[in-house]
Amino acid sequence: MPPAPLPADESQRLARLHATGILDTAPEESFNALAQCAAELCGTPIAAITLLDAQREWFKAVHGWDDLPVREIPRAISFCNHTLVSQGLFEVHDAAHDVRFAHSPFVTGVPHIRGYAGAPLVVGGEVLGALCVVDSRPRTLNEAQRQSLVQLARVASTLIANRNVTPPADDERHRLLDFARASGDWMWETDASLRYTWVSSTFEAVTGLSPGAVRGQLLEDAPLLDGLGQPLGGGRSLHALLQRRQPITRVITDKTTARGVLQVSRSAVPVFDADGEFTGYRGTARDVSAHIAAERRTHAQGELLRKLSSQVPGVIFQLWMQRDGTPFYTYASDATRDLFGVEPPRNGDGGDADVVCRMLHPDDAVDFVPSLLAASRALRPWQREFRIIRGGAVRWIEVRAVPERHAEGGTLWHGFCSDVTARKETELALRSSEERWSLAAEAAGIGIAELDLDSGRMNFDARACANHGLKFPQGDYRLNDWLAAIHPNDRYAVQARLEHALATGGMLEARYRQQRPDGSEATLEIFARCTLGEAQRPVGMVGTCRDVTQQAAHEQLRHDKEAAERASRAKSEFLSRVSHELRTPLNGILGFAQLMAIDRVHPLEPDQARRLDSVLRAGRHLLELINDMLNLARIEQEDFSLASTPVNLAATLQTCFTLIQPMADSAGVRLAAPPRRAHWALADARAVEQVLLNLLSNAIKYNRPAGTVKVTLSRGDEHMFVAVTDEGEGLSETQQARLFQPFNRLGAEQKRVEGTGLGLVIARQLAASMGGELKVTSRPGKGSTFTLSLPAGTAPTGARHRADPRDPLPPEPTTAQRQVLYVEDEPLNVLLMQEVFKSRPQWALHIATDGQGGLAAARAQHHDLLLIDMNLPDMNGLELIRALRADPRTSGLQCIALSADAMQAQIDAALAAGFDGYWTKPINVASMLEGLGQALEK
């Protein structure tokens, strides 16, 4: 706490103090009586006479502070130190809210000083100390109390000044009696046996008994009473207390007098002679009956208020905003514990005045106190909702209070506060719901529409007006206007549904096209219900309308897409069926033709060989057409997967040149040597090879006689480019525009150039699927250049050249006997396979014509390999392979599917079901023999 400034004449003041010789003297009855009188006159529990030395405050007399451990304290923490420079009476109304004393140990600790008043002790013109009164409650003395304290301080000053001049005993006695009469008290003395030896004359005025009548009588014993006149309990009595021979202060008992039973408050000190022998008591007494009666009334009123307030769901309070803005609770109901977790104010201690401010939510704390102070100044009612944080939880509090001016200054608020968390949460949830609904309605374009049947008038909110193309607020808009704006093709259905809803009191649900005033058209959706009047008859409708123009367009797109997908699936199924039906006879045609061509035992005549070669070319052309159609369908449906790995374009070109060289030699076209330096792209190796083979074969087929095909490799910023250039007739712009149309060969079919018209279509789509592009540049008579662009890549770490897996060396036929089971129901296919196997006499072929027969044969005899058709009369190939894999006797057999079904989904399903391989018909005899040899070597 900040120390008080020193008086200007501090050295003279200290000299005067030391000259009195009073410091460190023994307690004196006269000073003790003055301190007691000051406490009782001012109604405070503590009073003291103190003197201020250079570094200490020394207590000459103390009343009511029985447990004061020492008779001096440091001057720096003294309240009385401020009296030296106060120019008169020094008062502190509430030390806890005074920055000079709020942290004093006597405020924060015993005796918990709140109210203080000190009158200066002046001797020879110097202030030597103070006569002070102290209360544990905030206090402001009234004028009479201030005057009494000043007068008593003057008496104490005179006693100090005359310490070296002994006044006549009678003068001092008369003086004290005057003080007693002024205060309305009487004074008394007893002997060691507690019999009255003297009673002052004031006794008769109070009790109606003469002092002489009680002199020599035993001080009456009575139970000790509390502040409400009720026995303290425990058998405590006045005599038992006096037997301790210790000072007593304001001890209350009943006293029977001529005027009835009075409540008397006594204070006394024991008297001892020079030998230390107890000789009796000397004390004062006061009639406190009126005070106790008032306390009882106040207590009864308080109890009644407490009972009433306990039934109120909140806190009833009185708050005194003092003149300096300090809050002081004169009353708060017991609900304070439940609401704020603190005790309500008791015995005028003001309670925990800062509890609300401590708990305030940070967002509500800024203007909380300023708003209360503003309402105090204007003397207007105060209502506020705010949040507090208690135990980590946020609670909403509502307070309502009305003000009045306080007699001692400031504003006294009469108020009520309650927990409104549940209500606020409901309000906030409702508000949040409304905001979400508003946002959702705005985002979804939902408007509100109402219809009044009596007037036929329709009312739209802003969104509903926007949906109908009307200005908000709309003018006189009638039901007939609304119906007239509906598209003629939708009007009848909407009107019929409206009439049905009104007739049944039900719901109206309709989607319709609306002609807006600006000529535009929108698709709206309405949901409405009837509003019912008397006799439950519809008087109107209320509902929502929503602009679903985009949604309707999306739904149409979805329907169109689904229809296209159905058509695509139907096309794929058709192509699959066509492929299967064509491959089955082709298998016989090409298979037997190949067998005839390679037959060395019965070779054909040259003319027959040429005719057979024409059959083979026609069959292969038909097979190529079927394969291209399936590839195109697969690409359109994205029914394929492409890898994205580093591909050496130079190596791929070398492979393609090796494969295409016989075709070039046959056509008399020269293939310029391909680039040999590695160029890496990110692509699918097989797809790149397929595209390049197509481009190279076209460059050969459509070249001029003795023409040249050139290939260049180059790199851009992010792409690799492969350009294939021929020296053919070239293409016009019209031809280039139709170049990538399926089956459009641009008239090449008239020149009898082989082809299907699908190769470039497939090549372009494969390029796009790899993130690349296929373009053409050409001029009539100048040849054409097809450029494939692919994402650039880098060489993989440790990459090595691998031989083309399609060109393995044919294995030597095994000399060991092998058993092969062929499950096939088509006799022509069986005959073909039997002919193929004749070239390998060490391979025995067994036939089963249905699934059950194949399953029985596989279980009855060991076979090295099973060839299984996927379409059998009693079961399909998937069912058969599952049965084989489920049987321990056949689960380890090597099984290869041999089918005319060539769709990728069918192949994938077969491999997933357990087949070790999948071969498609028609077969290539040489490849078949090679594949069989590899399978039987395993």
Side-chain angles (χ1 to χ4, degrees), residues 287-317:
D287 178 10
V288 293
S289 301
H291 175 75
I292 287 181
E295 286 292 320
R296 285 174 176 168
R297 290 192 297 272
T298 301
H299 180 74
Q301 293 172 351
E303 282 297 303
L304 178 61
L305 180 59
R306 185 187 65 79
K307 291 177 181 178
L308 292 174
S309 62
S310 66
Q311 304 303 313
V312 176
V315 176
I316 299 173
F317 67 88

PDB file of all heavy atoms in Angstrom, residues 287-317:
ATOM      1  N   ASP A 287     -29.242  -0.126  27.493  1.00  0.00           N
ATOM      2  CA  ASP A 287     -30.503  -0.772  27.121  1.00  0.00           C
ATOM      3  C   ASP A 287     -30.536  -0.896  25.589  1.00  0.00           C
ATOM      4  O   ASP A 287     -30.565   0.097  24.876  1.00  0.00           O
ATOM      5  CB  ASP A 287     -31.675   0.080  27.611  1.00  0.00           C
ATOM      6  CG  ASP A 287     -33.021  -0.519  27.206  1.00  0.00           C
ATOM      7  OD1 ASP A 287     -33.032  -1.674  26.726  1.00  0.00           O
ATOM      8  OD2 ASP A 287     -34.045   0.172  27.376  1.00  0.00           O
ATOM      9  N   VAL A 288     -30.514  -2.137  25.092  1.00  0.00           N
ATOM     10  CA  VAL A 288     -30.515  -2.378  23.645  1.00  0.00           C
ATOM     11  C   VAL A 288     -31.815  -3.061  23.219  1.00  0.00           C
ATOM     12  O   VAL A 288     -31.876  -3.687  22.167  1.00  0.00           O
ATOM     13  CB  VAL A 288     -29.295  -3.233  23.225  1.00  0.00           C
ATOM     14  CG1 VAL A 288     -28.001  -2.462  23.433  1.00  0.00           C
ATOM     15  CG2 VAL A 288     -29.274  -4.558  23.989  1.00  0.00           C
ATOM     16  N   SER A 289     -32.866  -2.915  24.055  1.00  0.00           N
ATOM     17  CA  SER A 289     -34.129  -3.591  23.732  1.00  0.00           C
ATOM     18  C   SER A 289     -34.687  -3.121  22.399  1.00  0.00           C
ATOM     19  O   SER A 289     -35.147  -3.942  21.571  1.00  0.00           O
ATOM     20  CB  SER A 289     -35.151  -3.328  24.845  1.00  0.00           C
ATOM     21  OG  SER A 289     -34.665  -3.789  26.089  1.00  0.00           O
ATOM     22  N   ALA A 290     -34.692  -1.795  22.208  1.00  0.00           N
ATOM     23  CA  ALA A 290     -35.225  -1.273  20.946  1.00  0.00           C
ATOM     24  C   ALA A 290     -34.400  -1.750  19.759  1.00  0.00           C
ATOM     25  O   ALA A 290     -34.939  -2.112  18.697  1.00  0.00           O
ATOM     26  CB  ALA A 290     -35.263   0.245  20.996  1.00  0.00           C
ATOM     27  N   HIS A 291     -33.078  -1.786  19.933  1.00  0.00           N
ATOM     28  CA  HIS A 291     -32.206  -2.236  18.849  1.00  0.00           C
ATOM     29  C   HIS A 291     -32.469  -3.700  18.507  1.00  0.00           C
ATOM     30  O   HIS A 291     -32.565  -4.073  17.330  1.00  0.00           O
ATOM     31  CB  HIS A 291     -30.740  -2.032  19.255  1.00  0.00           C
ATOM     32  CG  HIS A 291     -29.768  -2.577  18.252  1.00  0.00           C
ATOM     33  ND1 HIS A 291     -29.506  -1.968  17.055  1.00  0.00           N
ATOM     34  CD2 HIS A 291     -29.007  -3.700  18.292  1.00  0.00           C
ATOM     35  CE1 HIS A 291     -28.625  -2.689  16.378  1.00  0.00           C
ATOM     36  NE2 HIS A 291     -28.309  -3.750  17.117  1.00  0.00           N
ATOM     37  N   ILE A 292     -32.617  -4.521  19.551  1.00  0.00           N
ATOM     38  CA  ILE A 292     -32.860  -5.953  19.312  1.00  0.00           C
ATOM     39  C   ILE A 292     -34.234  -6.164  18.677  1.00  0.00           C
ATOM     40  O   ILE A 292     -34.406  -7.003  17.794  1.00  0.00           O
ATOM     41  CB  ILE A 292     -32.703  -6.747  20.626  1.00  0.00           C
ATOM     42  CG1 ILE A 292     -31.220  -6.830  20.990  1.00  0.00           C
ATOM     43  CG2 ILE A 292     -33.321  -8.126  20.507  1.00  0.00           C
ATOM     44  CD1 ILE A 292     -30.920  -7.596  22.238  1.00  0.00           C
ATOM     45  N   ALA A 293     -35.230  -5.378  19.138  1.00  0.00           N
ATOM     46  CA  ALA A 293     -36.552  -5.505  18.531  1.00  0.00           C
ATOM     47  C   ALA A 293     -36.492  -5.157  17.043  1.00  0.00           C
ATOM     48  O   ALA A 293     -37.113  -5.828  16.203  1.00  0.00           O
ATOM     49  CB  ALA A 293     -37.545  -4.605  19.261  1.00  0.00           C
ATOM     50  N   ALA A 294     -35.716  -4.117  16.738  1.00  0.00           N
ATOM     51  CA  ALA A 294     -35.560  -3.749  15.326  1.00  0.00           C
ATOM     52  C   ALA A 294     -34.832  -4.838  14.543  1.00  0.00           C
ATOM     53  O   ALA A 294     -35.192  -5.158  13.404  1.00  0.00           O
ATOM     54  CB  ALA A 294     -34.805  -2.418  15.220  1.00  0.00           C
ATOM     55  N   GLU A 295     -33.824  -5.412  15.196  1.00  0.00           N
ATOM     56  CA  GLU A 295     -33.099  -6.494  14.540  1.00  0.00           C
ATOM     57  C   GLU A 295     -34.007  -7.688  14.286  1.00  0.00           C
ATOM     58  O   GLU A 295     -33.915  -8.351  13.256  1.00  0.00           O
ATOM     59  CB  GLU A 295     -31.897  -6.917  15.395  1.00  0.00           C
ATOM     60  CG  GLU A 295     -30.735  -5.943  15.378  1.00  0.00           C
ATOM     61  CD  GLU A 295     -30.071  -5.884  14.020  1.00  0.00           C
ATOM     62  OE1 GLU A 295     -29.917  -6.940  13.375  1.00  0.00           O
ATOM     63  OE2 GLU A 295     -29.725  -4.781  13.573  1.00  0.00           O
ATOM     64  N   ARG A 296     -34.893  -7.962  15.274  1.00  0.00           N
ATOM     65  CA  ARG A 296     -35.823  -9.084  15.095  1.00  0.00           C
ATOM     66  C   ARG A 296     -36.773  -8.825  13.924  1.00  0.00           C
ATOM     67  O   ARG A 296     -37.056  -9.712  13.117  1.00  0.00           O
ATOM     68  CB  ARG A 296     -36.630  -9.301  16.374  1.00  0.00           C
ATOM     69  CG  ARG A 296     -35.835  -9.965  17.495  1.00  0.00           C
ATOM     70  CD  ARG A 296     -36.662 -10.006  18.754  1.00  0.00           C
ATOM     71  NE  ARG A 296     -35.963 -10.725  19.821  1.00  0.00           N
ATOM     72  CZ  ARG A 296     -36.340 -10.721  21.093  1.00  0.00           C
ATOM     73  NH1 ARG A 296     -37.429 -10.033  21.453  1.00  0.00           N
ATOM     74  NH2 ARG A 296     -35.654 -11.401  21.989  1.00  0.00           N
ATOM     75  N   ARG A 297     -37.260  -7.592  13.849  1.00  0.00           N
ATOM     76  CA  ARG A 297     -38.145  -7.261  12.732  1.00  0.00           C
ATOM     77  C   ARG A 297     -37.400  -7.384  11.395  1.00  0.00           C
ATOM     78  O   ARG A 297     -37.925  -7.937  10.425  1.00  0.00           O
ATOM     79  CB  ARG A 297     -38.708  -5.853  12.910  1.00  0.00           C
ATOM     80  CG  ARG A 297     -39.718  -5.714  14.038  1.00  0.00           C
ATOM     81  CD  ARG A 297     -40.444  -4.383  13.960  1.00  0.00           C
ATOM     82  NE  ARG A 297     -39.539  -3.260  14.120  1.00  0.00           N
ATOM     83  CZ  ARG A 297     -39.196  -2.724  15.282  1.00  0.00           C
ATOM     84  NH1 ARG A 297     -39.691  -3.226  16.422  1.00  0.00           N
ATOM     85  NH2 ARG A 297     -38.385  -1.704  15.336  1.00  0.00           N
ATOM     86  N   THR A 298     -36.199  -6.862  11.408  1.00  0.00           N
ATOM     87  CA  THR A 298     -35.398  -6.952  10.183  1.00  0.00           C
ATOM     88  C   THR A 298     -35.123  -8.403   9.820  1.00  0.00           C
ATOM     89  O   THR A 298     -35.214  -8.807   8.653  1.00  0.00           O
ATOM     90  CB  THR A 298     -34.074  -6.199  10.363  1.00  0.00           C
ATOM     91  OG1 THR A 298     -34.346  -4.826  10.672  1.00  0.00           O
ATOM     92  CG2 THR A 298     -33.224  -6.280   9.091  1.00  0.00           C
ATOM     93  N   HIS A 299     -34.806  -9.189  10.863  1.00  0.00           N
ATOM     94  CA  HIS A 299     -34.521 -10.603  10.611  1.00  0.00           C
ATOM     95  C   HIS A 299     -35.761 -11.328  10.092  1.00  0.00           C
ATOM     96  O   HIS A 299     -35.674 -12.146   9.172  1.00  0.00           O
ATOM     97  CB  HIS A 299     -34.012 -11.256  11.896  1.00  0.00           C
ATOM     98  CG  HIS A 299     -33.703 -12.717  11.731  1.00  0.00           C
ATOM     99  ND1 HIS A 299     -32.603 -13.172  11.054  1.00  0.00           N
ATOM    100  CD2 HIS A 299     -34.380 -13.824  12.161  1.00  0.00           C
ATOM    101  CE1 HIS A 299     -32.603 -14.506  11.057  1.00  0.00           C
ATOM    102  NE2 HIS A 299     -33.666 -14.917  11.728  1.00  0.00           N
ATOM    103  N   ALA A 300     -36.913 -11.028  10.703  1.00  0.00           N
ATOM    104  CA  ALA A 300     -38.158 -11.665  10.271  1.00  0.00           C
ATOM    105  C   ALA A 300     -38.472 -11.286   8.826  1.00  0.00           C
ATOM    106  O   ALA A 300     -38.893 -12.135   8.015  1.00  0.00           O
ATOM    107  CB  ALA A 300     -39.307 -11.262  11.190  1.00  0.00           C
ATOM    108  N   GLN A 301     -38.274 -10.003   8.533  1.00  0.00           N
ATOM    109  CA  GLN A 301     -38.504  -9.577   7.153  1.00  0.00           C
ATOM    110  C   GLN A 301     -37.523 -10.272   6.196  1.00  0.00           C
ATOM    111  O   GLN A 301     -37.897 -10.697   5.104  1.00  0.00           O
ATOM    112  CB  GLN A 301     -38.366  -8.061   7.040  1.00  0.00           C
ATOM    113  CG  GLN A 301     -39.461  -7.297   7.774  1.00  0.00           C
ATOM    114  CD  GLN A 301     -39.196  -5.805   7.802  1.00  0.00           C
ATOM    115  OE1 GLN A 301     -38.116  -5.358   7.414  1.00  0.00           O
ATOM    116  NE2 GLN A 301     -40.164  -5.038   8.283  1.00  0.00           N
ATOM    117  N   GLY A 302     -36.274 -10.397   6.673  1.00  0.00           N
ATOM    118  CA  GLY A 302     -35.274 -11.076   5.851  1.00  0.00           C
ATOM    119  C   GLY A 302     -35.621 -12.531   5.619  1.00  0.00           C
ATOM    120  O   GLY A 302     -35.451 -13.062   4.512  1.00  0.00           O
ATOM    121  N   GLU A 303     -36.101 -13.191   6.694  1.00  0.00           N
ATOM    122  CA  GLU A 303     -36.478 -14.592   6.553  1.00  0.00           C
ATOM    123  C   GLU A 303     -37.663 -14.744   5.597  1.00  0.00           C
ATOM    124  O   GLU A 303     -37.701 -15.669   4.785  1.00  0.00           O
ATOM    125  CB  GLU A 303     -36.836 -15.178   7.917  1.00  0.00           C
ATOM    126  CG  GLU A 303     -35.633 -15.524   8.768  1.00  0.00           C
ATOM    127  CD  GLU A 303     -34.792 -16.613   8.117  1.00  0.00           C
ATOM    128  OE1 GLU A 303     -35.331 -17.698   7.832  1.00  0.00           O
ATOM    129  OE2 GLU A 303     -33.605 -16.345   7.845  1.00  0.00           O
ATOM    130  N   LEU A 304     -38.624 -13.825   5.737  1.00  0.00           N
ATOM    131  CA  LEU A 304     -39.765 -13.878   4.839  1.00  0.00           C
ATOM    132  C   LEU A 304     -39.321 -13.654   3.397  1.00  0.00           C
ATOM    133  O   LEU A 304     -39.748 -14.367   2.481  1.00  0.00           O
ATOM    134  CB  LEU A 304     -40.797 -12.820   5.246  1.00  0.00           C
ATOM    135  CG  LEU A 304     -42.046 -12.722   4.342  1.00  0.00           C
ATOM    136  CD1 LEU A 304     -42.808 -14.041   4.338  1.00  0.00           C
ATOM    137  CD2 LEU A 304     -42.941 -11.574   4.826  1.00  0.00           C
ATOM    138  N   LEU A 305     -38.435 -12.689   3.210  1.00  0.00           N
ATOM    139  CA  LEU A 305     -37.931 -12.428   1.870  1.00  0.00           C
ATOM    140  C   LEU A 305     -37.147 -13.625   1.341  1.00  0.00           C
ATOM    141  O   LEU A 305     -37.244 -13.986   0.168  1.00  0.00           O
ATOM    142  CB  LEU A 305     -37.049 -11.175   1.891  1.00  0.00           C
ATOM    143  CG  LEU A 305     -36.437 -10.753   0.544  1.00  0.00           C
ATOM    144  CD1 LEU A 305     -37.531 -10.475  -0.470  1.00  0.00           C
ATOM    145  CD2 LEU A 305     -35.545  -9.530   0.724  1.00  0.00           C
ATOM    146  N   ARG A 306     -36.368 -14.259   2.253  1.00  0.00           N
ATOM    147  CA  ARG A 306     -35.590 -15.421   1.826  1.00  0.00           C
ATOM    148  C   ARG A 306     -36.498 -16.559   1.383  1.00  0.00           C
ATOM    149  O   ARG A 306     -36.262 -17.213   0.370  1.00  0.00           O
ATOM    150  CB  ARG A 306     -34.683 -15.882   2.970  1.00  0.00           C
ATOM    151  CG  ARG A 306     -33.741 -17.025   2.589  1.00  0.00           C
ATOM    152  CD  ARG A 306     -32.994 -17.540   3.792  1.00  0.00           C
ATOM    153  NE  ARG A 306     -33.897 -18.143   4.754  1.00  0.00           N
ATOM    154  CZ  ARG A 306     -34.397 -19.371   4.637  1.00  0.00           C
ATOM    155  NH1 ARG A 306     -34.111 -20.116   3.583  1.00  0.00           N
ATOM    156  NH2 ARG A 306     -35.210 -19.856   5.554  1.00  0.00           N
ATOM    157  N   LYS A 307     -37.590 -16.791   2.156  1.00  0.00           N
ATOM    158  CA  LYS A 307     -38.517 -17.862   1.798  1.00  0.00           C
ATOM    159  C   LYS A 307     -39.210 -17.563   0.470  1.00  0.00           C
ATOM    160  O   LYS A 307     -39.389 -18.445  -0.370  1.00  0.00           O
ATOM    161  CB  LYS A 307     -39.550 -18.043   2.901  1.00  0.00           C
ATOM    162  CG  LYS A 307     -38.977 -18.625   4.185  1.00  0.00           C
ATOM    163  CD  LYS A 307     -40.035 -18.723   5.268  1.00  0.00           C
ATOM    164  CE  LYS A 307     -39.452 -19.280   6.572  1.00  0.00           C
ATOM    165  NZ  LYS A 307     -40.459 -19.338   7.644  1.00  0.00           N
ATOM    166  N   LEU A 308     -39.597 -16.286   0.331  1.00  0.00           N
ATOM    167  CA  LEU A 308     -40.249 -15.928  -0.933  1.00  0.00           C
ATOM    168  C   LEU A 308     -39.275 -16.031  -2.109  1.00  0.00           C
ATOM    169  O   LEU A 308     -39.608 -16.565  -3.171  1.00  0.00           O
ATOM    170  CB  LEU A 308     -40.812 -14.502  -0.843  1.00  0.00           C
ATOM    171  CG  LEU A 308     -41.986 -14.297   0.128  1.00  0.00           C
ATOM    172  CD1 LEU A 308     -42.330 -12.819   0.220  1.00  0.00           C
ATOM    173  CD2 LEU A 308     -43.206 -15.088  -0.326  1.00  0.00           C
ATOM    174  N   SER A 309     -38.073 -15.528  -1.886  1.00  0.00           N
ATOM    175  CA  SER A 309     -37.101 -15.524  -2.989  1.00  0.00           C
ATOM    176  C   SER A 309     -36.647 -16.924  -3.343  1.00  0.00           C
ATOM    177  O   SER A 309     -36.230 -17.186  -4.474  1.00  0.00           O
ATOM    178  CB  SER A 309     -35.885 -14.663  -2.623  1.00  0.00           C
ATOM    179  OG  SER A 309     -35.222 -15.190  -1.485  1.00  0.00           O
ATOM    180  N   SER A 310     -36.707 -17.863  -2.370  1.00  0.00           N
ATOM    181  CA  SER A 310     -36.304 -19.236  -2.670  1.00  0.00           C
ATOM    182  C   SER A 310     -37.246 -19.886  -3.670  1.00  0.00           C
ATOM    183  O   SER A 310     -36.896 -20.883  -4.312  1.00  0.00           O
ATOM    184  CB  SER A 310     -36.245 -20.067  -1.380  1.00  0.00           C
ATOM    185  OG  SER A 310     -37.547 -20.219  -0.830  1.00  0.00           O
ATOM    186  N   GLN A 311     -38.452 -19.351  -3.790  1.00  0.00           N
ATOM    187  CA  GLN A 311     -39.415 -19.903  -4.741  1.00  0.00           C
ATOM    188  C   GLN A 311     -39.312 -19.235  -6.113  1.00  0.00           C
ATOM    189  O   GLN A 311     -39.994 -19.643  -7.050  1.00  0.00           O
ATOM    190  CB  GLN A 311     -40.849 -19.729  -4.198  1.00  0.00           C
ATOM    191  CG  GLN A 311     -41.064 -20.342  -2.830  1.00  0.00           C
ATOM    192  CD  GLN A 311     -40.726 -21.815  -2.796  1.00  0.00           C
ATOM    193  OE1 GLN A 311     -41.143 -22.564  -3.673  1.00  0.00           O
ATOM    194  NE2 GLN A 311     -39.949 -22.228  -1.796  1.00  0.00           N
ATOM    195  N   VAL A 312     -38.472 -18.227  -6.200  1.00  0.00           N
ATOM    196  CA  VAL A 312     -38.302 -17.501  -7.456  1.00  0.00           C
ATOM    197  C   VAL A 312     -37.124 -18.104  -8.217  1.00  0.00           C
ATOM    198  O   VAL A 312     -36.055 -18.309  -7.633  1.00  0.00           O
ATOM    199  CB  VAL A 312     -38.052 -15.998  -7.191  1.00  0.00           C
ATOM    200  CG1 VAL A 312     -37.790 -15.260  -8.500  1.00  0.00           C
ATOM    201  CG2 VAL A 312     -39.247 -15.398  -6.470  1.00  0.00           C
ATOM    202  N   PRO A 313     -37.289 -18.429  -9.496  1.00  0.00           N
ATOM    203  CA  PRO A 313     -36.203 -19.055 -10.259  1.00  0.00           C
ATOM    204  C   PRO A 313     -35.142 -18.050 -10.682  1.00  0.00           C
ATOM    205  O   PRO A 313     -34.959 -17.755 -11.867  1.00  0.00           O
ATOM    206  CB  PRO A 313     -36.934 -19.631 -11.483  1.00  0.00           C
ATOM    207  CG  PRO A 313     -38.090 -18.710 -11.693  1.00  0.00           C
ATOM    208  CD  PRO A 313     -38.517 -18.286 -10.303  1.00  0.00           C
ATOM    209  N   GLY A 314     -34.457 -17.490  -9.716  1.00  0.00           N
ATOM    210  CA  GLY A 314     -33.425 -16.516 -10.011  1.00  0.00           C
ATOM    211  C   GLY A 314     -32.993 -15.817  -8.741  1.00  0.00           C
ATOM    212  O   GLY A 314     -33.370 -16.198  -7.624  1.00  0.00           O
ATOM    213  N   VAL A 315     -32.183 -14.791  -8.892  1.00  0.00           N
ATOM    214  CA  VAL A 315     -31.621 -14.065  -7.761  1.00  0.00           C
ATOM    215  C   VAL A 315     -32.300 -12.700  -7.650  1.00  0.00           C
ATOM    216  O   VAL A 315     -32.313 -11.932  -8.616  1.00  0.00           O
ATOM    217  CB  VAL A 315     -30.091 -13.885  -7.930  1.00  0.00           C
ATOM    218  CG1 VAL A 315     -29.543 -13.032  -6.789  1.00  0.00           C
ATOM    219  CG2 VAL A 315     -29.407 -15.235  -7.960  1.00  0.00           C
ATOM    220  N   ILE A 316     -32.878 -12.429  -6.463  1.00  0.00           N
ATOM    221  CA  ILE A 316     -33.376 -11.090  -6.147  1.00  0.00           C
ATOM    222  C   ILE A 316     -32.244 -10.359  -5.432  1.00  0.00           C
ATOM    223  O   ILE A 316     -31.614 -10.914  -4.524  1.00  0.00           O
ATOM    224  CB  ILE A 316     -34.621 -11.168  -5.250  1.00  0.00           C
ATOM    225  CG1 ILE A 316     -35.748 -11.935  -5.974  1.00  0.00           C
ATOM    226  CG2 ILE A 316     -35.086  -9.786  -4.847  1.00  0.00           C
ATOM    227  CD1 ILE A 316     -36.947 -12.214  -5.102  1.00  0.00           C
ATOM    228  N   PHE A 317     -31.979  -9.124  -5.815  1.00  0.00           N
ATOM    229  CA  PHE A 317     -30.828  -8.438  -5.231  1.00  0.00           C
ATOM    230  C   PHE A 317     -31.101  -6.943  -5.083  1.00  0.00           C
ATOM    231  O   PHE A 317     -31.995  -6.380  -5.724  1.00  0.00           O
ATOM    232  CB  PHE A 317     -29.584  -8.645  -6.097  1.00  0.00           C
ATOM    233  CG  PHE A 317     -29.658  -7.992  -7.457  1.00  0.00           C
ATOM    234  CD1 PHE A 317     -29.255  -6.674  -7.660  1.00  0.00           C
ATOM    235  CD2 PHE A 317     -30.154  -8.701  -8.545  1.00  0.00           C
ATOM    236  CE1 PHE A 317     -29.327  -6.079  -8.905  1.00  0.00           C
ATOM    237  CE2 PHE A 317     -30.238  -8.111  -9.803  1.00  0.00           C
ATOM    238  CZ  PHE A 317     -29.826  -6.794  -9.982  1.00  0.00           C
TER     239      PHE A 317
END
